Amino acid sequence: MSTVRIGVIGAGIMGADHVNTLHRLVSGAVVTMVADIDEERAAAVIGALPDTRATGDPYALISDAEVDAVVVASHDTTHADLSIAAVRAGKPVLCEKPLAPTLEECVRVVREERRVAGPGISLGFMRRFDPAYQELKNAVAAGVCGAPLLLRCVSRGVSAAPGATDELSITGSAVHEFDTVPWLLDSPITEVSWHAPRSTGAATGLRDPQLMMLRTADGALTTVEVFLNAGYGYDIRCEVAGERGALALATPARVITDAARARSCGYPADWRPRFADAYRLQLQAWTDAMVSGTPSPLATAGDGLVASAVAEAVITSMRNGGRTVAVQVPEV
Amino acid sequence: MSTVRIGVIGAGIMGADHVNTLHRLVSGAVVTMVADIDEERAAAVIGALPDTRATGDPYALISDAEVDAVVVASHDTTHADLSIAAVRAGKPVLCEKPLAPTLEECVRVVREERRVAGPGISLGFMRRFDPAYQELKNAVAAGVCGAPLLLRCVSRGVSAAPGATDELSITGSAVHEFDTVPWLLDSPITEVSWHAPRSTGAATGLRDPQLMMLRTADGALTTVEVFLNAGYGYDIRCEVAGERGALALATPARVITDAARARSCGYPADWRPRFADAYRLQLQAWTDAMVSGTPSPLATAGDGLVASAVAEAVITSMRNGGRTVAVQVPEV
Amino acid sequence: MSTVRIGVIGAGIMGADHVNTLHRLVSGAVVTMVADIDEERAAAVIGALPDTRATGDPYALISDAEVDAVVVASHDTTHADLSIAAVRAGKPVLCEKPLAPTLEECVRVVREERRVAGPGISLGFMRRFDPAYQELKNAVAAGVCGAPLLLRCVSRGVSAAPGATDELSITGSAVHEFDTVPWLLDSPITEVSWHAPRSTGAATGLRDPQLMMLRTADGALTTVEVFLNAGYGYDIRCEVAGERGALALATPARVITDAARARSCGYPADWRPRFADAYRLQLQAWTDAMVSGTPSPLATAGDGLVASAVAEAVITSMRNGGRTVAVQVPEV
Amino acid sequence: MSTVRIGVIGAGIMGADHVNTLHRLVSGAVVTMVADIDEERAAAVIGALPDTRATGDPYALISDAEVDAVVVASHDTTHADLSIAAVRAGKPVLCEKPLAPTLEECVRVVREERRVAGPGISLGFMRRFDPAYQELKNAVAAGVCGAPLLLRCVSRGVSAAPGATDELSITGSAVHEFDTVPWLLDSPITEVSWHAPRSTGAATGLRDPQLMMLRTADGALTTVEVFLNAGYGYDIRCEVAGERGALALATPARVITDAARARSCGYPADWRPRFADAYRLQLQAWTDAMVSGTPSPLATAGDGLVASAVAEAVITSMRNGGRTVAVQVPEV
């Protein structure tokens, strides 16, 4: 297979971004089909793409003969069923995080994936493909800072999406850190606790910001801040302090401006500029693996299950006054 | 009084630094006497200063007719008694932190200070005079970041001093943050908890680093990291995230070096370069107040008592598996 | 045409990089042929690419039926003849800079391109596609710094390539700035002068660094530093000071390291990490234009001619004691 | 002499700043007298200082029995005569730059200083006492960047002072660089040329910005930018590129602000915050030398003469189309 024909399910911001990236910037991939329950939205995303078809039925997309592989970027509640359907159809899947909203469903997906023993599900923990996170991981692995002891992860956004809940801050935003931290450290999260200051006035009825504490099996301690309504910009930070030094993601900036008594660089309004490269490179790596017939280097459904188990433990802590909770990853 | 004649008790690193700063860089102050239990060390610190006398007896210094005011920079265990003696002698005191090693002793000092009703004790929480901390406090107060929600304080050093203990990390290092945080926020610390990753191999028998969590009455949540053996340099950080933005101390750097495939700036090996200005300005402010007969703008013995109460709560948490402990400031 | 079949002439560092980028990272392009006078080198560059053929004859590549478009990345002296041959064969060309080593040859290429009136020659001034330079240009155009008055361009490398000459510093390195400056300002360079300090000891027989001064028609003044043997890293800077503020490219850094008493970020050893995105995006834009049948948005042969005219004026200044020389762009 | 009694001539911004700094922050100095042709202005500057007298006659100050040393901070045109008068009175002088507006007058002052053979004139090139410039000079001297080849100095201000002229940009602003560069390199300036882009619209009738090129005897080449109406802030830069690396003054910043989609730090509106430490440390060093009876470590009248000779050469270049002009330092 020299060109992979991809079907994208979901034509919201994320799905549209994937269609655009696959079509414009990924070598070896073409988008042959886009599905959305709102078929007109699917058609709008396709726009002027010449040979791409829209459908309102994601299962039709999955079974279509001109679809070699499936990207699942529809609503979180649909991830499990659609991923399973694609796996059963013998087609590789790239499922956006989370694998499923509940741990039980995650288990169901992983079991079904194993049972079918097909091409497998990749999970869209795209930070693993962000050049800055990769450089950070490589530096940690090379011992630049010595053995890691303390990590600090910060995820700040301008304002919470409509429908945000305390749990969604954890399963939708913090979950990225639940994958990134063990990936960076090569050590699983074993214990968590949840904390919060008073909430920002901008967060109606929401606990925002939240601060989580994670312990990994290697003995390191991580704090994770999620602040959906930080207001000033989309700002992702990650710092590692180790036995010999410290490492941190640099503030991404291309241009420095001197104006009006200040030296400044800009923050983006959302994740797209910050992680455009990560999404592109993740899609490219997924495509390359399919073209060459090698295993996908992306996060797996199993990784998604583990991250969801961490999220569940954090939610348990949140509901129990911030007490320390052990992470329990279900056997599959 | 147009020139204040100051006696300095303690001729270790800190005392020597004070003598040097007072003599060379503070307007309106002269050092007339230096006391140390090792009188030769006192004499060595005096060096070529023309009109300064050495003594082995700190009480002789306190009662000396040519000493208008006393700096206490001797061993922590002597702070309480010497400060009380100076207060009884009717002389202003600048006592290095901590006010006393135990909360009981702090109470005793504050009570005696109140009873005597003399010129009072100032406490050497010099960060209040650091230009960067002051600019940070002013920006918080001006609402630049909105109401503060999350703070992060980091104190890293190259290697622990001989004799370091888990408790000394708290009462000797973290105590600076226990004063800085309520000063920055204008809100007292009400509740604390203590945490730690596995310790660095460089810390023989020590819990290092430590991570503390502080709640203030305003609802903000602060993490304090103390890492005595961080190895790479003396590095003090403070960040505030609020409802509209975030503020942070900049990395102090005067010169940027491009060499050997890297762009870099240096870290100092200890606190002296980082806080030289803070110590100088604190001594200047103390001197100015004495010259002009106005109240000392420095931290008070009462502030020292409060910080010690926080330290005690943190130690209680440390000894009880990291549970949350309410701060109890004794009535005086 | 939904996939462009590209032939790459030249299998040196630059050609190999183009083959790799086109094959791995550019959507809509396949490399069908690689030519090098050393056919084995061409074969080595192809490596495991499945459907790509090697040849020792660039003209065979140009006329090959399975080559839709030609990248010229062979020795500078071959650029003119190969570009003309491709144009005559009716195939789009992307020629690496310079268009030709001499101004006369540049004129010949542009004239022949116009005569043939075919698909046209694009020139590899890839900085136009660097995201940082684009953000800088957009900020200038948006008036962020007001009307530009002073520019500063710096090109530093670790060590000069073998065979470097004073003229090659100008025609091979500074020439990038001769294109970037008028592109940034939207104003042509009208007058130049050449200057230099004493040379670095690392530059045997070479004037290195060199400092050029350029005037543009809009009245702005630009200094261009080229320092081939700067030693410490590959470092490209660009700053614009205008009527209301200043803009500058940020130092590209993904990770900050605290170690050994320093805070640092790394410099690359050569241009590849710095401009990987620029080369990729330039090739993508060229490919997109061919796929969609729209004009190439890359620099043109005419732009290459203009840059060579500036280079010639700078060389004239260098040979005449640094006197100011007017740029004369030949009529074509 | 354990306390130096200082008289300050000139009660403008600069003189007031000196009075304030000497009184509040310099150890070993008291201001006993302030002179200004507007005696009320002198009285206003004194304000609440207890033992300081005002006068409208600077010569009365110079001859006053309670004035041990004289600071000359009055109008540039008075510097020469007042410095000479103080020298003749046997009193040390700290004269603000320039030593005199014309080279002839500088020569007269230096000759008279030598003839009298008294305590001598120090010149207020305060950058020599700025901690950042000192760290830069030390790094250069330590060989951190190897032998210097290219320097870049930038002096930008918010807006030109009333009465600014093209010549005053050179003799009043650029003159700091004419002292700093040879001091940094330990090598005299031998040759200069003057250049400029079109002027900013904010500069009515003024050539602003200006760009000067300086050659030093060691073979290094320096560009000096002076931009009085830069608008965005007071911004002083200095960079040195050498045989092995590069050094630069860091942007001074104490607090980083994240707000409104930007990460920023502030620029001051004028020189006072930027050089407050330099002025303080210069005055302290001058005072210390007088107290200890050692030679002043400040710049000398001779240094002022040399800087004025450079300024004159730059003005000659400006008036002659930017041609290269050799610096001629008059024999004294």
Side-chain angles (χ1 to χ4, degrees), chain B residues 232 258 261 263 265 267, chain C residues 232 237 258 261 263 265 267:
Chain B
Y232 67 84
D258 292 316
R261 300 285 189 285
R263 186 167 185 78
C265 59
Y267 280 111
Chain C
Y232 67 86
R237 305 184 187 186
D258 291 317
R261 300 284 189 290
R263 185 168 186 77
C265 59
Y267 280 110

Side-chain angles (χ1 to χ4, degrees), chain A residues 156 158 231-235 237 251 257-269, chain D residues 156 158 231-235 237 251 257-269:
Chain A
R156 295 179 185 157
V158 173
Y232 67 85
Y234 183 78
D235 185 9
R237 304 184 188 187
T251 305
T257 301
D258 291 317
R261 299 287 188 286
R263 184 168 186 78
S264 68
C265 58
Y267 280 110
Chain D
R156 295 177 186 158
V158 173
Y232 67 86
Y234 184 77
D235 185 8
R237 306 183 186 186
T251 305
T257 300
D258 291 316
R261 302 283 190 287
R263 186 170 186 77
S264 67
C265 59
Y267 280 110

